[in-house]
Amino acid sequence: MITPAFSIKTFNKIKRIFPIKPRDKIFLPIIINPTNLENFLRIFPNSITVSFPNYTIYSSILRNQFLAEKIVNNEITVKMDFFGIYSNFLSENATMTIILFPTNLALNLVKYALHKIISLSSTIALLIIVGNKKQNELISKLLELSQLEYSKSKSQSYNFYVIPKFNSTINIQSKFTDYTFKIQYKKNFSEFEFYSSDGVFSKDKVDDGTNFLIETVLKKTTISKDDEIIDYFSGLGVIGIVIAKKFRPKKIHFIESDIISLYLLKRNLNNYQIDRSVVHEMDGLEKPNIPFQTIDFIVANPPTHIRKEEFIHFLKISKDLLKIKGKLIIVINKIIPYEQTLKEFFPNPQKIDVYQKNNYKIIINKKIN
């Protein structure tokens, strides 16, 4: 998700069109930019509740000293959610709600969020800020249908919708399950269906890299019922679930940071009754609560945008978690030059196997020391 840092001019615009009093309690239901949150807190020293849609975003917030101190001192109430997937959408007792839609947020997710807003029974003041043309068209249409009184203005590339006294009488039941669908995946030993939605990686099908990784695991590895496995950056849980159904290992850990992906992952695990699983809701570049040298296999399809220093950090964590002779199996795009980096961390070249297919390569490394 992407939300650029607002300029001072934009914040002055917010102050002018959306007057916030000292006693107002502010709810920011989707924040992904640390700079914007810091400026909100400096400009509006109110009681603020913030909802983050991703644990990686939350980690970046904590790296900001000013914001970290505010959170530690309980000056900010933090929720991990996306418009009520896991909890009540509205913060209790909030009087002002400000929504900054990420510019690349899928229209279906914008629609879901707006339906959650319109279904509120509380009386609040509401400000919606949007910088995407199609999102703007959708919001205008839905607000007109809602028969709510609102004003609209523009500053720079953003549109501002102000609803000074929001209390919709329209009965809209909005559940995230209404925005999910199933994708099919077939292997020679079974056919799979996975819940998916907008806002996740490769939403319409199992991507080629993941499929190549699964094929390689099935053909090139032997996983026993005593093994413990991590599916890193697990997304919908495709890799781990296929491994669980094929090999039935002792335990599989799923590590995922995105709230929407976590919702779908848990639904998929429940659907396939993978009861030997543990879901770690966390930034994938933080160390999970798993003892060192207890893992037999780590399988991972890292994000294509992962930076070298982040990849190195992931390798450090993996090396600590793997048993002696444990294996790290990753798939990366062939243009990403991280193969040498992996060899530097696991300095046993004879123990690294590389397989390539189309635009992807699989690297299997066996930990020796």
Side-chain angles (χ1 to χ4, degrees):
M1 297 183 184
I2 300 171
T3 298
F6 287 170
S7 67
I8 297 301
K9 182 178 180 180
T10 300
F11 276 101
N12 287 335
K13 170 81 172 183
I14 293 171
K15 289 176 66 177
R16 189 167 60 254
I17 66 173
F18 199 62
I20 295 175
K21 299 175 183 177
R23 291 186 179 182
D24 281 324
K25 295 183 177 181
I26 303 172
F27 181 36
L28 303 173
I30 181 166
I31 282 287
I32 63 175
N33 189 303
T35 302
N36 286 339
L37 179 56
E38 180 178 347
N39 286 330
F40 264 112
L41 291 168
R42 292 187 185 279
I43 295 171
F44 307 113
N46 298 63
S47 170
I48 292 182
T49 297
V50 184
S51 186
F52 299 110
N54 189 296
Y55 283 89
T56 301
I57 292 169
Y58 183 48
S59 292
S60 70
I61 295 290
L62 292 177
R63 288 192 290 271
N64 180 304
Q65 184 177 352
F66 173 80
L67 296 177
E69 289 177 357
K70 292 287 186 181
I71 292 171
V72 169
N73 295 330
N74 295 316
E75 296 178 51
I76 310 173
T77 301
V78 173
K79 301 172 71 174
M80 300 302 301
D81 203 356
F82 178 81
F83 290 93
I85 287 182
Y86 287 125
S87 62
N88 291 331
F89 163 57
L90 185 63
S91 172
E92 292 183 7
N93 303 318
T95 57
M96 316 286 278
T97 295
I98 303 174
I99 301 173
L100 296 71
F101 278 118
T103 53
N104 63 337
L105 188 65
L107 292 181
N108 264 345
L109 297 181
V110 174
K111 184 178 180 181
Y112 162 75
L114 288 171
H115 281 177
K116 295 295 289 189
I117 296 165
I118 292 172
S119 67
L120 292 174
S121 58
S122 303
T123 300
I124 57 172
L126 178 65
L127 170 63
I128 300 174
I129 305 171
V130 60
N132 176 293
K133 182 179 179 180
K134 290 186 178 180
Q135 291 176 355
N136 179 55
E137 292 170 353
L138 175 63
I139 291 168
S140 292
K141 182 177 179 180
L142 288 176
L143 286 179
E144 288 173 8
L145 290 173
S146 73
Q147 299 180 336
L148 291 165
E149 292 185 8
Y150 69 92
S151 62
K152 179 181 177 182
S153 58
K154 188 171 184 178
S155 176
Q156 296 177 312
S157 59
Y158 295 100
N159 286 281
F160 298 79
Y161 295 84
V162 176
I163 304 171
K165 200 169 184 180
F166 176 91
N167 193 350
S168 177
T169 58
I170 297 176
N171 184 20
I172 295 179
Q173 298 298 321
S174 185
K175 297 180 180 179
F176 194 72
T177 51
D178 298 333
Y179 295 85
T180 64
F181 49 85
K182 291 182 178 180
I183 59 174
Q184 312 295 317
Y185 186 58
K186 185 176 180 180
K187 303 311 292 179
N188 58 9
F189 68 93
S190 186
E191 294 185 9
F192 297 87
E193 285 186 336
F194 297 103
Y195 288 103
S196 184
S197 78
D198 285 299
V200 301
F201 171 66
S202 193
K203 64 170 184 170
D204 295 316
K205 68 172 187 176
V206 174
D207 68 288
D208 293 339
T210 293
N211 182 58
F212 184 29
L213 190 151
I214 290 172
E215 287 180 350
T216 305
V217 170
L218 297 179
K219 293 176 182 178
K220 303 292 183 180
T221 63
T222 301
I223 297 175
S224 76
K225 293 184 178 181
D226 295 324
D227 286 337
E228 193 165 337
I229 297 166
I230 297 177
D231 179 357
Y232 240 105
F233 313 109
S234 54
L236 306 180
V238 174
I239 298 169
I241 289 173
V242 172
I243 289 174
K245 299 303 287 186
K246 175 65 175 177
F247 297 106
R248 301 190 178 279
K250 179 176 68 177
K251 184 184 287 186
I252 297 188
H253 300 267
F254 294 84
I255 296 177
E256 177 55 46
S257 66
D258 179 70
I259 293 297
I260 294 176
S261 295
L262 282 164
Y263 170 86
L264 297 165
L265 167 63
K266 292 176 183 178
R267 198 171 178 194
N268 288 325
L269 289 172
N270 183 65
N271 187 45
Y272 282 101
Q273 298 182 335
I274 310 296
D275 54 3
R276 303 169 306 281
S277 63
V278 179
V279 176
H280 300 260
E281 302 184 18
M282 56 176 290
D283 179 358
L285 296 173
E286 299 288 334
K287 184 194 173 299
N289 187 25
I290 301 172
F292 285 174
Q293 297 191 3
T294 58
I295 301 300
D296 298 280
F297 292 89
I298 294 177
V299 293
N301 184 356
T304 54
H305 59 267
I306 190 168
R307 300 191 300 271
K308 184 175 180 179
E309 60 270 24
E310 293 172 333
F311 187 70
I312 290 172
H313 189 62
F314 163 67
L315 293 179
K316 289 179 179 178
I317 294 172
S318 299
K319 191 173 182 180
D320 287 339
L321 293 173
L322 284 170
K323 295 178 179 177
I324 301 301
K325 298 186 179 180
K327 289 185 177 180
L328 171 64
I329 307 173
I330 61 174
V331 59
I332 56 176
N333 192 293
K334 68 179 184 181
I335 66 171
I336 298 176
Y338 291 166
E339 186 177 337
Q340 182 59 38
T341 304
L342 191 145
K343 289 179 179 179
E344 292 169 4
F345 267 85
F346 294 84
N348 297 283
Q350 72 278 15
K351 299 301 180 182
I352 294 180
D353 297 319
V354 179
Y355 304 92
Q356 189 162 316
K357 181 179 180 181
N358 299 327
N359 293 324
Y360 296 92
K361 55 186 174 184
I362 302 288
I363 303 174
I364 302 179
N365 186 86
K366 187 174 182 179
K367 179 180 172 183
I368 299 299
N369 49 41

